[in-house]
Amino acid sequence: MRITCPICGERDRREFYYQGAAIALARPAPDAGEAAWDAYVHLRDNPAGVTRDLWQHESGCSAWIVVTRDTVTHEVLDSALAADIGMEAGA
Amino acid sequence: MRFSGLKILKEGLTGNRGWTPHWRDPDPKAEYDIIVIGGGGHGLSTAYYLARDHGLTNIAVLEKGYIGGGNVGRNTTIVRANYFLPGNSEFYSHSLKLWEGLEEDLNYNVMHSQRGLINLFHSDGQRDAFARRGNAMINQGDDAILLDRDGVRAHLPYLDFENARFPIYGGLYHPRGGTARHDAVAWGYARAADRRGVDLIQNCEVTGIDIENGKVTGVRTTRGAIRARKVGIVVAGRSGQVAAMAGMRLPIESHVLQAFVTEGLKPVIDHVVSFGMGHFYISQSDKGGLVFGGDLDFYASYAARGNLPMVEHVMEAGMTLMPMIGKAKVLRSWGGIMDMTPDGSPIIDKTDVAGLYLNCGWCYGGFKAVPGSGNCFAHLMATDRCHGAATGFRLDRFRTGRGLMDEEGTGSQHNLH
Amino acid sequence: MRIAGRGRIDRRSPVRFRFDGIDYSGFQGDTLASALLANDVRLVGRSFKYHRPRGVLTAGSEEPNALMTIGSGAGAEPNVRATVQELFPGLEARSQNRWPSLNFDLMAVNDLAAPFLGAGFYYKTFMWPRAFWERVYEPVIRNAAGLGALSGAHEPDRNEKAYAFCDLLVIGGGPAGLMAALVAARAGADVIVADEDSRMGGRLLAETFEVGGRPGVNWADNVIAELNAMDNVRLMTRTTVTGVYDQGTFGALERVSHHLAVRPEALPLETFWRIQARRSILAAGALERPVAFRNNDRPGIMTAGAVRAYLNRWGVCAGRRVTLFGNNDDMHRTARDLLSAGIHVVAVIDSRHDAPDGRGYRVYKGAMVCDSSGRRGLESVTVRSIGGEDRIATDCLAMSGGWNPTVHLTCHLNARPTWREDILGFVPTPQAVPGMSVAGACNGAFSTHDCLREGAAAARDTLEDLGLRAAAIDLPEAEDAPHAISPLWAVPGSGRAWLDFQNDVCVKDVRQAAMENFRSVEHMKRYTTQGMATDQGKNSNVAALAILADVTGRGIQDTGTTTFRPPFSPVSIAAMGAGAQGKGFAPERFTTSHKASAERGAPMIEAGLWYRPSYFPAPGESHWRQSCDREVNMVRTSVGVCDVSTLGKIDVQGPGAAAFLDFVYVNTFSTLKVGRVRYGLMLREDGHVMDDGTCARLGDTHFVVTTTTAAAGQVMRHLEFVHQCLRPDLDVALTSVTEQWAQFSVAGPRSRDLLNAVLDNPIAVKDWPFMACGQVFVGGVQARLFRISFSGEQAYELAVPARFGDSVFRILLDHAEKIGGGPYGLEALNVLRLEKGFITHAEIHGRTTAFDIGMDAMVSDKKDCIGKAMSRRPGLTDPDRERLVGLKPAGEVQLLVAGAYLFSPGDDPVRVNAQGYVTSVAFSPTLGHMIALGFLRNGPARHGERVRMIDHLRGLDATCEVVDPVFLDPEGERARD
C-alpha cells in the first residue's frame, strides 16, 4: 500500500501512522454539549466506499495528512495537508 | 436427523444415500415475529437461543451471502474467558460455559478443544498486568495460573528463551482456553436453529429498515419486503451500513484483520500461545496447519484483505518468539472486517427505535463470544430486558463514560484495541 | 525411465541423491521428481485422509502429491514439492505422513473405512463422552493428520528481505512474458521479470515447438541473453510472485540457494522481496487439470502436460506403456512427442466423438477411462466406449481435462474471474488489478503465437502508460493451434473419483455436500475440504465446482469460485519474517551510559525499546534487593546518579508555544516564568490521562516538554496532531530531542555538592530553587540543569548533548563515589518514586482520569484543553470510581503484590465484591515495610480503613491499611531543601 505525502511524495504505508476518520479535524466548541462531543469522539460514518481519514507521515516529515480513500478497493484518491485544511476552515 | 457414530455407520453401510440437508432453504415469509439481520455466528446463535430458550420459532435469519461467511468463518478460532474488566468478565465467563456443553446441545461436533491458552509476558510491568487479569478471572470463577519462566518452559519448550528480543518472563495460563472448528460453530447453530423451525434465508440482503412512529415494522430486502415485530442487527463489520438504514450512526469503525494458516504439519504446538510484545497468537489446527494472526492493518477497510506490512510483522513476531516455525510455509492469508468500538468492547442493546436491537462491536474477539452473544441477545430481544451477563454492553456508555471497558487502555481511538 | 537423446539436463554431470534411505542417481538439471521418475520410483507419498499411495502428478509448484522432507537435522524442511526441488549432490529426501514406511503404511487402514469417513463425518460424531474430545479423539486425529514434521529446532538458516522498484514487473518468463519484457526493455523501461522456475522459458522448456524457425528453447535463450545484457532489466529466476497488494506492491519469494549442495556463507536460503511496480504484466501461463474417474489417483496417473514436460525437458518417461485420456487436442501432442521418442503409446482415449485421428497411435473416440487398478502403482485402466469396457495394461496414464489459466494473482484484490465456455476455463476479469495487464495462457490465449502476440501487445499498452514508446517488433512465427476441447469433468460411475488428491476429496463428497445443502461453493469447500490442501485447489477447484454446478443446476459462472488469496504458492515464515529472529524483531535503543553501566555489572532490562540498568551490584551483594535497598538508602542519605535519558524530550518553540502548551496540558503554562519548570498532565481527548511529565521554560518562546519513556512516541505524535490538525493557527514548532540530550538525575541531600564538584561554575542555593532550570557548563560544554525530583529528595537533572553523555556519566559517578554516592538503577528509581506516591504508567494505564489520581483540581477552569470536555462526563467523575490510594501491610502477612485485588474484610473474594486493585508495590527500606499504590472505590475517603488484598494466583491474603499515596515527606520539604 502506498500513500502520497503532499510534502514527500508517494511512500510506503510503513512510513505512516493511521488515526481514523478526518472528523478529528472538526473539534466541537468546549461547550458544544454531550451529544456533539460524543459524536466527535465516538460516532463514525464508517463508509464502505470513499472516506476521508487522517494519517501522519510519522517516519517521514511528520505531516498529518487527510487522505481521501476508498475503503472497499483501497484506492487512494487524494491527499492534502491537514494543516492547510484546518487553516482554510478558519481555525 | 440426529447425528451419531451409529448414524455414520448406518449410512456408510448403505452408500451414504440417506443424508439430508443440514438446513432448509425456505423462501421468506411475509411476516415474522423476529428478524435477525446477519447469518454469521452471532446471528445464528441468536436465532437458536430465541427458539431454544424463549419458545419463539417464527423467526428468520436474513443473510446477504451464505451463512457463516463472515468473521465466524475467517478467524483464528480462539475460545477463552480471560478478560478482567467488569462487564467483560461475566460475559465471557458465561460464553465459555455455553461452549463447554455446545456439542451435546447442538448435536454437532464443533471440536471445542480446551487445550489451554498461555499469554506470555515480557517485563515486570506486564507480569503485574497479567497478574491482575488472572486474579480477575479467578474472582469471576474462571481458571488462571501464573507461570514463571520455568513454568512456561515446561509447557512450551520450543520458545526462544535465550535470544528473543523481548525475553520471556512468564505467562498467564488459562487451561480452559482453547480453540474450536470455526465453520462447524456456524453450521451447528444453523442446523440446530433450523431444526427448531427458524427460517435461514441466504442470498437475501437487507436494503432498508421500515420504521413507523418510532417503531420498527419490517425490513426491505433483495427478496422483497418482510414484516416483523422485532428486528435485530447482527452484522459485525457492516453494522454502520445497516444501522444507517435506521438513521443511526454508531461508535464503530470497520477495520481489516488478517490471519494466516500454514501447510499441514505433524503436531508441534499443543496450546494456544499469545506473545505479549508482538501481537502474535498461534495454535495448530487438528488438520495440522498452524493458525495464527496479529494486529489490525490499522486503516479502515471493508476489503477483507490486507497488506504486506502487517503480514511481515506477524511473521517477524513468530520468528523472534518461536523460531522453530521458520520452515512452516504459509498456505493462505485472509482478512475479516472488524467492527471496532472506542473501548474495544461490544454492544448488545436496544436502540432508540422500538423493536430494533443492536448486537455489534465485537472488534476482533467475536468468535469466542458466539454462544454468549446469541444467548444474551436472544434474551434481550425476547424479554426486552438485559441478560445478567451482558449488562455492561450498553450503547450509551460512551456518551456517559459509565462502565467503559477499555481492556487495552488505549482510549477512544477505534483501531487501537 | 530415462530416455536417450531427450531433455535439457546435463548428462555429463551425474548427481547422487537419496530418497527414503535408498541411493539414486540423476543429472544436473533434474528436479527431484524427474530424477525419481527416471529411477522408476513411482510411489512418493501418501494422501492425507485415506493414506492412499501417491505418485508425481504434475511438473510444477502446484504438485499435490510429491511432498517430501528435504534434509535432516535442524534445517530439515517439510512439505517440499519434489517437482520444484532441484537436484543437488547429496540431496536427502524422505517421504511423509506414513508409518512405519511408505510402502507399508498402517494408516492405509483408513482407506478400508472410507465409507464412514466421507465429507464432514467428524462433525457428526466424537461427541460422547464429552471429556473424550481432548483426551482421546483429538489426540488421535491430530497425530494422524498433518503432512511433514518441523524439526523442532530454532530456524538455523539465514533468510533475507529486500525491496525492488521497477516500471514494469513481468510475472512469468514464458513466451508471453519474455516477449513483453523484450518490447518493454527495448523501449527503455525498468523491467523485472520474475519466474518461479530455475530457468526462464516457461512452457517452451517442456515443448518441442519452434519459434521463429528454431527450437523454442533457443528463441527463449536468445531473448534471455539480450535481456540479461541490458542494464534496465533484472531477470529473477526461482522467484515466485506470491501476492498482489495495493498500489502496485507485490510480494515475491526468491529461493536463493535451495538448489545448492553447499551454500556459500554470503547467500541466504531465501529472500522475500517487496517489489514496487508502476505497472505489471501477468504472464503466468496455465495449469492442466486432471479428470475425475474411479481410482484416478494411483501412482503413474499424471497430467498429460507433465508427462510431456518430463519427456522433453528432463528426458524421462513416467512409464513404458503410456495411455492418454482426456477431452482436448493438447494431449495428442503428448502422444506425438512420446511416439517420436520411441515410447510405446498404448492408446489415446478421447472423450470427444469427433476426436482427431491418431498419427501412429490408436484413438478411442467418445470413450472414457472409468477405472484403474494396480496396488502401489498403475497396472491397467478400464476403458468404456460404445463397444463396451476394455481393460488396457498400462503403467502410465497421461490425463488432461483441459487447462486452467493461472488467474490467481488477478484475484488477490478481490476480483472474481470470468468463465469462458469456449475454453472451459476461468480467465481474469479485465482491470482486476489496477495497472496489471494479462497476456498469454493465463488470459486464455493458449497457442504460442497468441502468447507472443499478447505479450507484445500488453507491453505496448504498458509503455504508453509509462510515457515510453515501443519500437516496432516482428513477432516470430510460432504454432497457432486452436484450443479444441469439450467438457469432461467426471466420468460417470460408482466408486471414488478423486478431485483433491492430497485431501482425498472425491466427486461423491461434493455430491454429498450438495445433498446436505452445502450448495454454496464456499460451503462445499469448507465442508469437504476441497481445495484446502497445499495446492489450494489449483488442480481440482474448477472440476469440483463444475460438479457442484451440475448437481445444483446452476451454471459454472453462477456457481462461482472460492477466493484465491495470497500466497500464490506457500512461503516460509522464516522468509517473510526474515531478520526478526532473536534480537532483530525490534530496534534496540541504548543510552549513552550503557557501556559504563554494563562495565559496573548492572543487569540491563528492557524498557520499551530501551535498555536500562536494573541495579548496580556492589561487592558482596548477591540478591537484587540488597543492591536496590542500598541504592535507595544512598539517595535518601547521600547522592545517587541515574540515567533518565529515555524519557521523551520534546522541544517546543515559537510565539505560539505557550498557548499551545496551555491547550495540550490540563494546567496552565503561559504563566510559567522563564527559568522555571512545572509538572504537567496531559489528557487524551476522551478525558483519560495520556501522560505526565515536566515542562521547562527555557525562554519566552522556548519550552522543553518531557514525557514518560513509554509514551514518548505517542505524545510526540499527539502534539503534532494537535498543532497541525486543531491549532494550525499557532506559530509553534515541535522537535523530538530525546536522542540529542543525555540526561542524568542527580538526587539526594548531597546532590548540590556533587554538581558543584562537576560543574564549571558552582550553583548557589538562592539561584536554584526547587523547579528552577537554566544553563550551566560542564567541562566547557553547555548543558541544561533542571531542579526537579522524582525521588522526593533534593535533586537535579543535568542534560548534556548526547555525545558527552558517556563522559559526563563517568565524571558524575567518580565524584559521587567520593562523597558516598553512586549510581542507581530502575529498581531503586521505582522504590524512590513509590515512597513519594509518584505515578507511572502502572497507574496511568489508560483507564484512569485526573479525578482518579487526585489531580482533577489541576484541570484549569480558565481555558479549554484537550480532553477537558470529555473528562467531565458523569461516568468519569463518579466518586465511587476506583481512585488512587496508598496501601501498607496491617496484618500478619507483610507481603504485597501488584495485580492483587482489594476487598472489604469479610467479603468473599469474588468479582462482584471487588473494591479495587494493586498497581505497584515495593519494599521501602526507608520505612522498613512494603508499600503499594492501588486504586480503591472512593479511595480518598477511605484512608485509615482496612482492606483485604487477595492474590489468588500466588495464594496471598493480606490485610492492608488504606493510606495517602505519599508515604514519605508529604510536605515535600526534602525536595525543596
Side-chain angles (χ1 to χ4, degrees):
Chain A
M1 182 178 247
R2 310 278 285 180
I3 305 281
T4 299
C5 168
I7 293 172
C8 306
E10 189 191 285
R11 297 296 181 94
D12 192 89
R13 182 261 177 276
R14 287 173 178 80
E15 297 185 15
F16 297 86
Y17 175 85
Y18 177 89
Q19 176 165 300
I23 188 178
L25 294 175
R27 188 173 186 268
D31 57 355
E34 201 176 71
W37 276 97
D38 181 37
Y40 174 68
V41 175
H42 302 127
L43 304 185
R44 296 293 178 259
D45 289 339
N46 197 23
V50 175
T51 192
R52 290 169 76 240
D53 46 22
L54 266 176
W55 302 65
Q56 189 197 13
H57 194 196
E58 191 179 29
S59 305
C61 64
S62 294
W64 278 91
I65 301 160
V66 176
V67 177
T68 307
R69 207 171 52 87
D70 191 311
T71 57
V72 174
T73 63
H74 291 174
E75 187 182 2
V76 175
L77 302 163
D78 184 47
S79 59
L81 289 178
D84 289 349
I85 292 169
M87 291 300 276
E88 280 163 25
Chain B
M1 178 185 295
R2 193 173 160 72
F3 289 155
S4 67
L6 212 63
K7 178 73 189 165
I8 287 177
L9 210 61
K10 179 171 168 276
E11 282 300 324
L13 293 171
T14 55
N16 285 304
R17 280 188 286 266
W19 297 113
T20 55
H22 272 44
W23 48 80
R24 302 160 295 130
D25 262 327
D27 287 324
K29 294 191 277 189
E31 182 165 5
Y32 289 95
D33 292 339
I34 293 181
I35 283 176
V36 176
I37 307 175
H42 294 241
L44 293 167
S45 70
T46 300
Y48 170 69
Y49 291 113
L50 279 168
R52 190 196 79 168
D53 295 353
H54 305 282
L56 298 162
T57 50
N58 188 25
I59 299 167
V61 176
L62 307 184
E63 167 54 48
K64 75 169 176 171
Y66 59 96
I67 59 168
N71 294 337
V72 73
R74 53 186 75 238
N75 57 73
T76 47
T77 79
I78 298 170
V79 175
R80 58 188 165 93
N82 63 346
Y83 286 71
F84 75 101
L85 294 178
N88 282 330
S89 282
E90 61 266 36
F91 172 80
Y92 289 103
S93 182
H94 175 64
S95 194
L96 183 56
K97 288 190 188 94
L98 291 170
W99 275 108
E100 284 168 341
L102 203 55
E103 277 92 357
E104 290 81 353
D105 191 16
L106 300 179
N107 179 231
Y108 209 82
N109 189 357
V110 301
M111 303 183 193
H112 178 217
S113 165
Q114 294 187 290
R115 52 182 69 179
L117 161 73
I118 297 178
N119 279 99
L120 300 170
F121 49 78
H122 309 269
S123 68
D124 288 342
Q126 280 196 336
R127 181 201 55 226
D128 293 348
F130 273 111
R132 181 182 173 198
R133 182 176 296 271
N135 279 316
M137 289 159 69
I138 297 172
N139 285 342
Q140 174 59 39
D142 293 319
D143 62 321
I145 298 167
L146 197 65
L147 302 176
D148 62 10
R149 189 178 157 90
D150 286 337
V152 172
R153 200 191 286 268
H155 284 283
L156 314 172
Y158 49 79
L159 300 182
D160 188 346
F161 288 92
E162 283 71 45
N163 297 310
R165 172 65 180 84
F166 297 104
I168 295 154
Y169 277 49
L172 185 66
Y173 180 33
H174 174 33
R176 282 166 68 222
T179 60
R181 167 85 182 106
H182 58 3
D183 287 327
V185 176
W187 302 338
Y189 273 114
R191 175 170 167 271
D194 176 86
R195 277 165 28 126
R196 287 177 184 269
V198 173
D199 281 357
L200 308 179
I201 300 166
Q202 305 187 76
N203 301 307
C204 179
E205 182 171 358
V206 171
T207 54
I209 296 176
D210 291 325
I211 298 164
E212 285 169 28
N213 304 320
K215 187 177 184 328
V216 73
T217 58
V219 297
R220 273 161 288 153
T221 78
T222 50
R223 296 177 68 174
I226 310 173
R227 290 189 305 280
R229 291 193 298 112
K230 293 181 177 180
V231 173
I233 303 174
V234 202
V235 295
R238 291 286 175 172
S239 295
Q241 280 81 60
V242 178
M245 294 173 192
M248 297 168 63
R249 263 174 107 220
L250 297 180
I252 283 183
E253 202 171 87
S254 293
H255 280 264
V256 55
L257 178 73
Q258 301 191 71
F260 311 88
V261 66
T262 69
E263 296 176 341
L265 297 158
K266 287 294 171 193
V268 63
I269 293 177
D270 296 331
H271 306 72
V272 182
V273 184
S274 171
F275 175 32
M277 285 300 287
H279 294 282
F280 174 81
Y281 36 90
I282 188 166
S283 67
Q284 187 170 18
S285 77
D286 288 341
K287 261 190 83 185
L290 305 181
V291 180
F292 59 104
D295 220 326
L296 298 175
D297 265 31
F298 289 123
Y299 46 83
S301 170
Y302 286 87
R305 60 175 180 81
N307 274 285
L308 272 179
M310 190 48 67
V311 174
E312 294 179 45
H313 187 76
V314 170
M315 308 297 157
E316 287 163 7
M319 287 306 291
T320 189
L321 185 69
M322 46 176 79
M324 64 108 185
I325 63 173
K327 294 263 192 280
K329 297 192 203 80
V330 175
L331 179 61
R332 189 174 177 86
S333 63
W334 64 93
I337 309 171
M338 308 293 127
D339 35 339
M340 305 300 298
T341 61
D343 67 353
S345 291
I347 297 159
I348 295 182
D349 208 347
K350 301 178 197 175
T351 67
D352 291 339
V353 178
L356 184 65
Y357 305 81
L358 188 62
N359 179 341
C360 63
W362 295 96
C363 299
Y364 52 76
F367 179 65
K368 63 185 160 297
V370 163
S373 165
N375 191 255
C376 295
F377 196 46
H379 186 275
L380 177 71
M381 290 190 76
T383 67
D384 270 324
R385 287 192 313 275
C386 210
H387 188 284
T391 55
F393 296 164
R394 292 171 63 111
L395 180 55
D396 68 0
R397 68 180 186 268
F398 304 107
R399 185 169 50 77
T400 66
R402 283 188 206 284
L404 292 171
M405 290 165 285
D406 183 357
E407 299 253 340
E408 302 279 340
T410 43
S412 62
Q413 188 174 320
H414 298 70
N415 64 346
L416 293 183
H417 295 286
Chain C
M1 176 175 63
R2 194 71 74 171
I3 307 299
R6 289 286 170 142
R8 318 193 200 288
I9 46 171
D10 180 0
R11 294 188 192 237
R12 287 161 307 175
S13 306
V15 175
R16 303 283 296 172
F17 70 103
R18 177 176 285 201
F19 172 62
D20 272 350
I22 299 173
D23 288 325
Y24 298 97
S25 184
F27 294 109
Q28 189 68 39
D30 262 326
T31 63
L32 177 53
S34 69
L36 285 169
L37 288 171
N39 284 281
D40 293 328
V41 177
R42 295 206 292 171
L43 174 62
V44 296
R46 292 275 173 172
S47 66
F48 184 82
K49 186 155 82 173
Y50 302 135
H51 287 251
R52 298 261 296 186
R54 286 285 178 263
V56 174
L57 181 72
T58 73
S61 66
E62 72 277 18
E63 174 62 30
N65 292 344
L67 268 59
M68 297 174 183
T69 298
I70 304 296
S72 55
E77 183 178 359
N79 302 344
V80 175
R81 284 104 182 111
T83 49
V84 171
Q85 176 65 53
E86 296 167 59
L87 205 63
F88 60 78
L91 182 148
E92 196 185 330
R94 275 174 296 138
S95 58
Q96 307 181 149
N97 195 29
R98 76 286 183 272
W99 189 85
S101 74
L102 187 57
N103 262 312
F104 180 72
D105 180 4
L106 278 175
M107 292 295 290
V109 69
N110 285 359
D111 201 33
L112 302 174
F116 314 109
L117 306 181
F121 76 95
Y122 29 76
Y123 300 125
K124 300 168 180 168
T125 183
F126 302 135
M127 290 181 268
W128 308 271
R130 204 170 99 186
F132 268 38
W133 177 250
E134 284 90 347
R135 288 190 207 146
V136 181
Y137 303 130
E138 189 177 47
V140 169
I141 291 170
R142 286 191 71 196
N143 280 312
L147 301 168
L150 291 172
S151 74
H154 294 346
E155 173 65 33
D157 294 311
R158 194 165 57 79
N159 295 279
E160 283 183 356
K161 288 202 244 188
Y163 279 100
F165 296 80
C166 61
D167 291 331
L168 173 64
L169 171 65
V170 179
I171 301 161
L178 287 176
M179 198 68 214
L182 189 65
V183 171
R186 283 181 180 170
D190 283 325
V191 179
I192 292 177
V193 186
D195 192 291
E196 70 175 351
D197 207 332
S198 56
R199 189 173 165 183
M200 298 262 172
R203 195 65 208 171
L204 293 176
L205 298 171
E207 301 289 0
T208 50
F209 305 145
E210 293 199 334
V211 176
R214 54 194 155 152
V217 185
N218 295 6
W219 175 83
D221 284 346
N222 278 355
V223 173
I224 292 162
E226 179 177 345
L227 291 171
N228 257 328
M230 297 166 91
D231 288 341
N232 55 330
V233 178
R234 171 187 255 163
L235 299 179
M236 299 176 71
T237 53
R238 302 188 177 94
T239 304
T240 307
V241 174
T242 56
V244 179
Y245 301 91
D246 288 310
Q247 281 86 33
T249 306
F250 297 81
L253 181 76
E254 182 183 5
R255 289 172 302 280
V256 181
S257 53
H258 279 287
H259 61 295
L260 300 177
V262 180
R263 178 151 50 94
E265 189 71 14
L267 282 190
L269 186 63
E270 296 178 339
T271 299
F272 185 71
W273 290 86
R274 286 73 58 100
I275 301 173
Q276 194 61 47
R278 292 171 65 196
R279 290 289 311 262
S280 58
I281 294 175
L282 182 72
L287 299 172
E288 198 171 20
R289 57 196 180 221
V291 181
F293 61 90
R294 184 175 193 165
N295 293 320
N296 62 337
D297 65 328
R298 297 188 196 282
I301 302 180
M302 302 169 69
T303 61
V307 169
R308 194 156 84 235
Y310 284 111
L311 176 68
N312 293 326
R313 181 167 175 188
W314 289 289
V316 168
C317 190
R320 284 164 176 81
R321 296 168 50 82
V322 182
T323 306
L324 295 101
F325 171 42
N327 63 342
N328 60 74
D329 283 0
D330 189 64
M331 66 166 166
H332 290 262
R333 283 185 173 141
T334 304
R336 291 196 295 271
D337 285 359
L338 287 167
L339 268 188
S340 74
I343 294 156
H344 179 43
V345 174
V346 182
V348 172
I349 294 119
D350 195 318
S351 64
R352 299 170 297 172
H353 292 283
D354 59 349
D357 293 326
R359 282 179 272 169
Y361 51 86
R362 180 177 175 190
V363 178
Y364 286 77
K365 297 186 185 184
M368 296 190 215
V369 174
C370 59
D371 200 355
S372 80
S373 66
R375 212 169 138 238
R376 293 198 188 101
L378 183 67
E379 287 163 14
S380 71
V381 295
T382 307
V383 178
R384 185 194 300 147
S385 57
I386 301 168
E389 289 192 359
D390 287 341
R391 198 173 166 120
I392 299 180
T394 184
D395 58 355
C396 175
L397 180 74
M399 62 180 163
S400 178
W403 291 76
N404 291 325
T406 305
V407 301
H408 308 73
L409 292 177
T410 66
C411 302
H412 282 186
L413 300 188
N414 289 350
R416 299 283 170 166
T418 305
W419 180 251
R420 255 179 66 185
E421 196 62 35
D422 60 329
I423 62 166
L424 296 176
F426 283 99
V427 295
T429 300
Q431 309 305 316
V433 172
M436 179 184 275
S437 311
V438 186
C442 68
N443 198 29
F446 290 122
S447 78
T448 313
H449 170 79
D450 282 347
C451 287
L452 297 168
R453 184 177 52 76
E454 288 205 354
R460 274 195 300 273
D461 292 349
T462 300
L463 289 168
E464 205 165 295
D465 287 1
L466 293 170
L468 296 168
R469 270 196 48 202
I473 195 161
D474 288 333
L475 285 183
E477 240 172 77
E479 63 84 26
D480 195 15
H483 184 71
I485 185 169
S486 75
L488 172 62
W489 307 108
V491 175
S494 61
R496 282 177 293 166
W498 268 259
L499 292 164
D500 190 317
F501 285 72
Q502 186 183 105
N503 271 359
D504 282 320
V505 180
C506 300
V507 171
K508 68 174 183 54
D509 293 310
V510 174
R511 295 213 168 105
Q512 185 193 323
M515 195 197 318
E516 298 191 79
N517 204 10
F518 289 93
R519 295 158 69 92
S520 144
V521 65
E522 283 283 350
H523 278 158
M524 180 275 286
K525 165 192 148 178
R526 291 156 183 260
Y527 191 61
T528 62
T529 74
Q530 159 60 41
M532 291 168 74
T534 57
D535 68 336
Q536 288 286 288
K538 289 194 184 82
N539 295 289
S540 55
N541 269 355
V542 174
L545 64 90
I547 289 159
L548 183 67
D550 181 51
V551 180
T552 58
R554 293 171 298 194
I556 290 177
Q557 179 73 48
D558 291 340
T559 300
T561 60
T562 54
T563 315
F564 300 118
R565 293 189 182 276
F568 171 74
S569 60
V571 183
S572 73
I573 293 175
M576 280 198 285
Q581 198 172 342
K583 298 282 187 276
F585 176 61
E588 298 181 279
R589 299 180 79 180
F590 298 106
T591 61
T592 58
S593 66
H594 188 88
K595 194 156 169 270
S597 298
E599 284 167 12
R600 286 166 176 268
M604 306 302 286
I605 58 167
E606 296 74 18
L609 297 180
W610 291 97
Y611 286 87
R612 299 186 73 180
S614 185
Y615 53 94
F616 291 82
E621 290 172 352
S622 57
H623 189 272
W624 70 271
R625 260 288 303 283
Q626 295 170 309
S627 311
C628 175
D629 289 358
R630 175 184 49 75
E631 288 171 13
V632 171
N633 285 329
M634 175 182 78
V635 172
R636 294 268 177 246
T637 58
S638 168
V639 62
V641 178
C642 181
D643 191 330
V644 293
S645 309
T646 62
L647 270 69
K649 305 180 224 32
I650 299 169
D651 201 73
V652 182
Q653 293 197 45
F660 175 75
L661 293 171
D662 281 350
F663 189 54
V664 294
Y665 279 115
V666 299
N667 45 336
T668 307
F669 282 82
S670 49
T671 56
L672 183 66
K673 291 190 176 64
V674 173
R676 285 290 183 275
V677 186
R678 187 168 284 169
Y679 175 81
L681 190 70
M682 279 185 203
L683 304 182
R684 299 187 307 235
E685 193 69 281
D686 66 12
H688 295 83
V689 176
M690 172 184 280
D691 199 35
D692 68 347
T694 60
C695 177
R697 190 165 199 169
L698 301 182
D700 197 37
T701 60
H702 186 189
F703 295 79
V704 174
V705 165
T706 67
T707 75
T708 58
T709 301
Q714 181 194 3
V715 171
M716 183 66 203
R717 191 165 57 227
H718 170 70
L719 297 187
E720 287 286 9
F721 166 79
V722 173
H723 174 222
Q724 295 179 41
C725 297
L726 302 180
R727 296 303 304 270
D729 57 309
L730 292 176
D731 185 359
V732 59
L734 307 161
T735 312
S736 169
V737 294
T738 307
E739 304 274 359
Q740 280 65 33
W741 293 89
Q743 193 152 321
F744 305 102
S745 165
V746 178
R750 301 204 62 190
S751 56
R752 194 178 304 117
D753 298 339
L754 172 55
L755 280 176
N756 282 340
V758 170
L759 299 181
D760 294 359
N761 304 301
I763 54 172
V765 184
K766 66 172 171 48
D767 299 334
W768 287 89
F770 185 53
M771 301 302 263
C773 68
Q775 184 178 290
V776 292
F777 287 87
V778 193
V781 173
Q782 190 175 312
R784 290 171 180 173
L785 189 67
F786 308 88
R787 187 166 172 195
I788 52 179
S789 178
F790 195 52
S791 59
E793 296 301 322
Q794 178 198 108
Y796 301 82
E797 288 187 11
L798 178 65
V800 295
R803 63 187 180 280
F804 301 111
D806 176 67
S807 56
V808 168
F809 183 68
R810 290 174 192 272
I811 290 167
L812 283 168
L813 292 197
D814 281 351
H815 287 277
E817 279 163 356
K818 286 177 195 156
I819 55 173
Y824 65 100
L826 268 194
E827 295 294 348
L829 180 93
N830 190 46
V831 176
L832 292 162
R833 70 100 186 168
L834 266 179
E835 289 178 338
K836 282 294 296 176
F838 291 136
I839 53 174
T840 67
H841 278 283
E843 284 74 38
I844 44 176
H845 48 49
R847 292 173 293 273
T848 41
T849 64
F851 177 74
D852 297 340
I853 54 173
M855 292 192 188
D856 44 320
M858 272 174 70
V859 184
S860 170
D861 284 331
K862 296 179 187 144
K863 63 177 182 75
D864 185 21
C865 73
I866 296 291
K868 184 173 167 181
M870 293 305 265
S871 75
R872 302 277 154 98
R873 282 182 285 172
L876 271 62
T877 51
D878 186 336
D880 210 32
R881 282 180 68 90
E882 290 163 339
R883 294 154 72 191
L884 186 69
V885 292
L887 297 162
K888 61 181 188 187
E892 220 163 275
V893 177
Q894 289 285 302
L895 185 60
L896 306 182
V897 291
Y901 271 80
L902 303 174
F903 297 90
S904 296
D907 277 357
D908 277 345
V910 296
R911 179 181 55 81
V912 289
N913 292 331
Q915 296 287 303
Y917 56 96
V918 180
T919 51
S920 299
V921 300
F923 176 79
S924 164
T926 316
L927 301 171
H929 58 75
M930 291 207 79
I931 56 174
L933 291 183
F935 288 84
L936 182 68
R937 284 181 185 279
N938 198 16
R942 297 170 68 173
H943 290 180
E945 256 185 49
R946 300 287 161 108
V947 292
R948 259 176 94 192
M949 186 211 78
I950 301 281
D951 187 276
H952 303 287
L953 296 166
R954 288 160 287 198
L956 277 176
D957 183 345
T959 303
C960 298
E961 183 185 340
V962 180
V963 296
D964 189 273
V966 185
F967 292 91
L968 191 73
D969 186 24
E971 308 305 321
E973 284 169 8
R974 298 163 81 127
R976 290 186 173 78
D977 188 17

